[in-house]
Amino acid sequence: MTSTTHSRPSGPGGPPPDKLGFTVPSGRRRVTPVRVGREFRRDRLLPQLLRKAVLDDEGQQCVQVRLSAKDAANPAARALLDTEAGTAVQLLQVLGDTEYAALFPRLIGHELDTAEPFLLYEPPRGTAVSRIHVMGAADQEVFTRDLMLALCLLEGQGLVPRGISPASVLWDGAKVQLWGLESVTRIGRPRRPWGRSPFCPPEQRGGEGLVDPRDAVWSAAQVLYRLATGRPGPADRPPADLGDHRKLDQTLRDAFAPRAADRPTPAQVLDLVAPGAARRVRLAVPPDETRPHHDAFEEALRLKRQAPASRSRTGSGSGQTGAEVLCPYCLESIQLDLGKLFVTDSRMQYKPLDLKGINNPVRRTDIMRGAVQKCTADPEFPAHYIPVPYLTYGRPLTVAMVGQSSTGKSHLLTQMIAAITDGGLEPFGLKWQSVNPEQHARFVRDRVQPLRSGKVLDHTPALGMDDFARFVESLLITDARGQVRPVAFFDLGGEDLVRTDAALRFLLGVDALVFVVDPALALPLPQLDHARERLGVEVNRDGDLAFGTVLDRLPKSGGYLDVPAAMVLGKADLLRFQPPVDRWLTRPPAAALDPALIREESRDLYGLLRRHAGQAWLRPFDAIRRCTLHVASATGGQEDQGRYPAGAGPRRVLEPLLSLFALHGLIQVPGGADALAVGEAPALEAVPWEEAGQAGQAEGFETPEGTEEPEGSEGSEGGEHQ
């Protein structure tokens, strides 16, 4: 991928222009010579650099907003640029060529996964109002209308700009243009300090409560007051002389209320200056096309709730030393046998462990923790060894990653383990310890540390014809009740997951599955075309072959498979500007599991896949009774020349595993594990329809002939700017 690597200006008679490669909003790649001017910083508190540029393939003038390599090494700075790009892309998709598009800067293209990320805009229209001393009453009315139109449009997308100020609002004498899109955040997110007084509202300045669309109304009112009087207003109350400015007083008096709850909404202010305009704005936005897919999701959950539950596979650990457990490899029962223990020597060869001379209980426990036991339960199975702690805490929990090659399974699993070791389970009352310290240290050394430093991990090696699946990492998880359970993770190569021989026998004993969906393979969206070209893959409308092979191999009892599962839209950074991925990928980590939010995320991802990928990609959800859907990115961005430019910044990698832990009872959630995945039945669904009809007739209501059974239905945060 190509981009400018320096900031020297070029012009006629100067050095040859640089080559600039970027993605246009449609998803197409464009590579062009570029000539750039001198750069400057629009705001000394923000990292973005601005400069004029000319794209020489078409002679197109534009403005480049970029980060230097030094600033781009800061994840918070990259997050700001991501927020700006995502907002610009979303507005362009929603507004297109409507009259409202001119209210915002128009994006030409972007390149974000590189050492010096940048955006390209059409040239700004107008002058920053910070250069205007005062504005006449007639212009103030048009200015207010346009600014409130912009706020209404953003609110309609669930967004609020936190950075409205005289520096971010442009005026050309006839129309407003709102810049500062890096300040945008989502309604309902926790407020963070941002901006300068008096333009940031009091609650935002203090980081109190949740973001509200009326936050921006305060900022807009302060800009209007500055334009009407030539001076800033007070930072925490209405101006004392507001009554001297009749127009301002009539439309924005309540906008200066210190509390957002006491201010008018953008639509209410807009209708004061332009009656009916708020309704016209709503009609201009394309209709919601997700409703049929959301309805299909609710219907699928209703059918799952009504299906009889098959045998449970979510038993908890008993904690009884010597109890039999299922060997995760040969699937025979095995229990601790002190006569079959081994440890590894300096050459990583197994040698027998004799505990007879070790009487110190502390030393004995420590040695056994690093020991393994040879499993001889199936003499025909190749030699295999089980870590001793795996045998001493009752029923283990095995988790298998599923997906064909290059879907990012290994990167995702690595970041899951890294998030656990970083304390990601603590808010949920869980603690961890390695099952085998030597194995864990090797996993961290060979996978976690290289990935965190920005190295792309190698593909998972394929098994030999006579080899068998082994777990790559195992942990001891202690829940809030003090119960300990071993958790082991299998990560096979995609070519192994489509085999039908004994290599997949381990699946018969697996307790949980993580199906990883590669968006480049699943979704025929144009913004993924460049990724497909770079990876050498094509859209597969028939779904992931590994999904089908694994599902067909699992034992089935009743209408659904009863192995808890999570489907993960991996590499979600490829779609970080695509609704609904943008909404979930930027959510901050949760400190508690909310079943309603998990179902909402599942519904949104189900809708995305059903609408664009087709039902084949939803086969795990359709086949498994308790299955949740999630978005995640193991790296936060795409590789550039074999490395991740700013290191691998994971997003939401732990959420799928937390859901599986809840489905297995390690985390307690309201309503229980079933409610987490399939929801709770509404009142009408919970009562048999015949009984409901009889009750209705008893009360004097008649059930019309032919009435059918009703369907159950339920109705970027970047860095801080202080």
Side-chain angles (χ1 to χ4, degrees), residues 18-339:
D18 295 305
K19 284 283 187 179
L20 194 69
F22 56 92
T23 301
V24 301
S26 68
R28 183 176 58 85
R29 289 290 292 177
R30 181 177 173 186
V31 179
T32 171
V34 63
R35 298 184 183 273
V36 298
R38 297 191 180 280
E39 64 187 8
F40 61 93
R41 200 177 293 273
R42 187 185 69 212
D43 187 322
R44 61 182 177 80
L45 297 181
L46 291 173
Q48 296 99 312
L49 299 168
L50 278 72
R51 60 186 176 186
K52 295 180 180 179
V54 178
L55 307 180
D56 278 353
D57 61 345
E58 297 179 3
Q60 184 178 13
Q61 295 188 3
C62 61
V63 170
Q64 185 187 53
V65 179
R66 74 182 195 96
L67 296 177
S68 67
K70 179 181 178 182
D71 285 329
N74 181 351
R78 279 187 176 267
L80 283 179
L81 204 65
D82 260 20
T83 297
E84 181 173 356
T87 306
V89 168
Q90 186 173 352
L91 290 171
L92 193 58
Q93 290 172 342
V94 170
L95 302 179
D97 294 321
T98 66
E99 60 179 304
Y100 303 116
L103 293 168
F104 304 97
R106 190 175 186 87
L107 189 70
I108 294 174
H110 57 80
E111 183 68 1
L112 298 172
D113 297 323
T114 187
E116 296 186 5
F118 63 85
L119 313 177
L120 296 173
Y121 290 108
E122 290 184 358
R125 181 181 45 75
T127 303
V129 298
S130 56
R131 300 183 181 181
I132 302 173
H133 183 57
V134 292
M135 179 181 285
D139 283 348
Q140 285 180 40
E141 189 167 344
V142 176
F143 187 95
T144 305
R145 180 204 64 193
D146 280 3
L147 195 47
M148 292 302 155
L149 276 171
L151 298 189
C152 283
L153 289 163
L154 287 168
E155 182 183 359
Q157 301 305 306
L159 304 174
V160 178
R162 298 176 296 171
I164 295 178
S165 74
S168 63
V169 184
L170 276 57
W171 173 251
D172 65 359
K175 206 169 189 64
V176 159
Q177 191 173 61
L178 179 62
W179 284 67
L181 300 183
E182 73 283 337
S183 74
V184 167
T185 189
R186 292 193 173 273
I187 297 170
R189 295 281 173 85
R191 288 191 180 99
R192 300 286 176 83
W194 184 285
R196 299 179 176 88
S197 295
F199 303 103
C200 63
E203 295 143 313
Q204 181 176 297
R205 189 166 61 249
E208 304 165 4
L210 304 178
V211 172
D212 188 296
R214 293 168 289 188
D215 295 351
V217 173
W218 167 283
S219 303
Q222 290 286 357
V223 171
L224 262 297
Y225 181 80
R226 153 74 172 70
L227 285 173
T229 66
R231 62 180 182 276
D236 57 359
R237 63 188 183 279
D241 63 344
L242 193 57
D244 297 338
H245 307 276
R246 185 171 59 85
K247 276 287 184 185
L248 200 60
D249 189 34
Q250 288 176 345
T251 56
L252 291 169
R253 169 163 287 280
D254 292 337
F256 294 98
R259 295 174 63 252
D262 299 325
R263 298 176 206 135
T265 65
Q268 288 171 333
V269 178
L270 177 59
D271 278 337
L272 283 176
V273 294
R279 180 176 179 276
R280 290 193 295 273
V281 166
R282 287 192 294 270
L283 293 175
V285 175
D288 181 11
E289 297 179 358
T290 62
R291 181 63 184 270
H293 308 291
H294 289 175
D295 289 345
F297 173 78
E298 297 296 345
E299 171 64 7
L301 290 191
R302 185 184 72 83
L303 294 174
K304 290 184 179 186
R305 286 192 294 267
Q306 293 184 346
S310 55
R311 65 182 181 87
S312 173
R313 300 184 63 178
T314 60
S316 61
S318 66
Q320 297 175 354
T321 301
E324 287 192 344
V325 300
L326 196 69
C327 172
Y329 301 139
C330 69
L331 302 184
E332 297 292 340
S333 295
I334 182 176
Q335 64 182 21
L336 183 65
D337 185 341
L338 298 183

Side-chain angles (χ1 to χ4, degrees), residues 273-563:
V273 294
R279 180 176 179 276
R280 290 193 295 273
V281 166
R282 287 192 294 270
L283 293 175
V285 175
D288 181 11
E289 297 179 358
T290 62
R291 181 63 184 270
H293 308 291
H294 289 175
D295 289 345
F297 173 78
E298 297 296 345
E299 171 64 7
L301 290 191
R302 185 184 72 83
L303 294 174
K304 290 184 179 186
R305 286 192 294 267
Q306 293 184 346
S310 55
R311 65 182 181 87
S312 173
R313 300 184 63 178
T314 60
S316 61
S318 66
Q320 297 175 354
T321 301
E324 287 192 344
V325 300
L326 196 69
C327 172
Y329 301 139
C330 69
L331 302 184
E332 297 292 340
S333 295
I334 182 176
Q335 64 182 21
L336 183 65
D337 185 341
L338 298 183
K340 298 179 180 179
L341 302 188
F342 292 80
V343 291
T344 53
D345 59 20
S346 59
R347 294 177 300 167
M348 300 303 294
Q349 300 297 311
Y350 288 117
K351 64 177 184 179
L353 171 63
D354 185 359
L355 294 170
K356 291 179 182 177
I358 306 173
N359 298 318
N360 184 314
V362 176
R363 184 171 172 234
R364 184 185 179 98
T365 300
D366 184 61
I367 291 175
M368 286 186 65
R369 186 180 166 214
V372 296
Q373 176 174 319
K374 186 174 183 178
C375 176
T376 57
D378 182 354
E380 302 298 321
F381 200 82
H384 53 291
Y385 300 83
I386 312 299
V388 168
Y390 197 87
L391 305 172
T392 57
Y393 290 100
R395 178 183 171 87
L397 190 158
T398 50
V399 181
M401 310 293 291
V402 182
Q404 63 190 71
S405 296
S406 302
T407 55
K409 302 187 307 297
S410 296
H411 288 77
L412 178 60
L413 175 58
T414 299
Q415 295 288 35
M416 282 179 174
I417 302 299
I420 290 174
T421 59
D422 281 346
L425 297 180
E426 292 177 5
F428 305 90
L430 303 182
K431 298 179 181 178
W432 75 276
Q433 189 179 22
S434 62
V435 166
N436 185 293
E438 184 178 317
Q439 179 195 48
H440 177 70
R442 186 165 59 249
F443 186 90
V444 172
R445 181 183 66 246
D446 296 345
R447 292 177 61 161
V448 174
Q449 290 176 348
L451 181 56
R452 282 185 162 177
S453 69
K455 181 182 178 183
V456 178
L457 299 180
D458 294 331
H459 293 304
T460 305
L463 297 175
M465 290 306 296
D466 298 322
D467 205 352
F468 60 93
R470 296 175 174 85
F471 54 76
V472 297
E473 175 63 308
S474 53
L475 303 172
L476 294 175
I477 303 297
T478 304
D479 66 19
R481 297 164 294 182
Q483 294 184 348
V484 181
R485 193 164 185 190
V487 180
F489 298 90
F490 286 89
D491 181 24
L492 271 67
E495 57 270 34
D496 291 319
L497 287 168
V498 298
R499 291 165 59 170
T500 56
D501 57 17
L504 291 193
R505 184 183 300 163
F506 81 101
L507 288 170
L508 302 179
V510 160
D511 300 290
L513 296 163
V514 179
F515 294 90
V516 183
V517 176
D518 186 338
L521 296 175
L523 299 165
L525 297 170
Q527 60 264 46
L528 296 172
D529 288 345
H530 177 58
R532 278 187 277 269
E533 181 181 346
R534 181 168 53 84
L535 297 170
V537 300
E538 296 180 352
V539 173
N540 185 354
R541 301 294 295 185
D542 298 320
D544 190 315
L545 183 58
F547 290 5
T549 305
V550 168
L551 291 169
D552 290 341
R553 192 66 181 266
L554 293 171
K556 195 169 187 178
S557 173
Y560 295 95
L561 297 171
D562 205 48
V563 181

